[in-house]
Amino acid sequence: IKNKTSFVLIRDELEHIKNYLHIQELRYPNSFSYKINVDESLLECKVPTLLCQIFVENVIKHALTMDDKLHVLVDIEYDTTNPQNNMKIIIKDNGPGFRKEILTILQQGENISDQKEEHIGIWNVRRRLNLLYGNDAKITFYNERPTGAVVEIIIPFIPT
């Protein structure tokens, strides 16, 4: 594990997300809703700075339309496959989901770039997770049925 400034408490990360979403609610009234679920005992654990924020911003950027109400869920819990050592962070929405070609690239762990934009945020998160945790971190991308994109991150549990 690297230096202290690479991490924030989950409580603080979630506060930043709430502030961001509140600003977006002011910009796009009645266009989306959100829910944040977190196991209370994890609030004082440390996560890499802006780990969840990047993906929440991507939901608003890529899934928000004025046609359908978007719902964003951030769920932070113990990883049931290894609850003593890992936590699971899930960010999902009910939007159209990842485009097939983007999802394939994400699932293969490749860097995404296209004519319009580079997805530097996703690349940056992957890189930081690798630097901070090595093979102990895992990030998974998939589409929910019937609709929605899901990002699932499993990282080692770091209490304060």
Side-chain angles (χ1 to χ4, degrees):
I1 307 300
K2 305 295 180 200
N3 68 38
K4 295 177 192 166
T5 59
S6 299
F7 295 91
V8 296
L9 296 178
I10 288 177
R11 173 185 313 281
D12 296 333
E13 177 80 354
L14 293 177
E15 194 59 38
H16 290 295
I17 290 170
K18 288 176 190 173
N19 290 338
Y20 170 78
L21 289 169
H22 180 68
I23 290 168
Q24 298 311 310
E25 282 179 316
L26 296 173
R27 287 181 67 194
Y28 307 107
N30 303 314
S31 295
F32 73 94
S33 61
Y34 67 91
K35 184 171 185 176
I36 297 174
N37 296 322
V38 60
D39 187 306
E40 292 284 322
S41 63
L42 291 173
L43 285 172
E44 300 301 316
C45 292
K46 295 178 181 180
V47 293
T49 306
L50 300 174
L51 175 65
C52 304
Q53 179 86 24
I54 300 287
F55 296 108
V56 171
E57 288 177 7
N58 280 348
V59 169
I60 299 300
K61 181 177 179 183
H62 297 289
L64 183 66
T65 68
M66 296 303 133
D67 299 330
D68 299 310
K69 189 166 184 175
L70 180 68
H71 183 71
V72 181
L73 174 66
V74 177
D75 197 14
I76 302 175
E77 59 193 32
Y78 290 96
D79 176 24
T80 55
T81 61
N82 191 352
Q84 279 75 36
N85 296 323
N86 293 332
M87 72 175 82
K88 183 187 298 187
I89 300 167
I90 300 169
I91 297 119
K92 66 178 169 178
D93 63 69
N94 67 335
F98 295 107
R99 291 191 331 258
K100 188 176 181 179
E101 62 275 9
I102 297 294
L103 185 58
T104 300
I105 293 167
L106 288 171
Q107 289 173 335
Q108 292 171 349
E110 296 174 17
N111 191 23
I112 299 174
S113 62
D114 55 34
Q115 289 85 13
K116 291 185 264 179
E117 59 194 74
E118 285 216 22
H119 296 259
I120 193 79
I122 293 171
W123 178 84
N124 189 25
V125 167
R126 274 199 167 126
R127 185 172 167 273
R128 286 189 303 134
L129 288 176
N130 188 43
L131 288 171
L132 294 168
Y133 302 108
N135 292 330
D136 292 333
K138 180 180 175 188
I139 186 165
T140 309
F141 302 88
Y142 58 94
N143 284 331
E144 189 89 315
R145 294 195 193 266
T147 63
V150 182
V151 177
E152 192 173 291
I153 303 164
I154 296 176
I155 57 174
F157 175 80
I158 303 174
T160 51

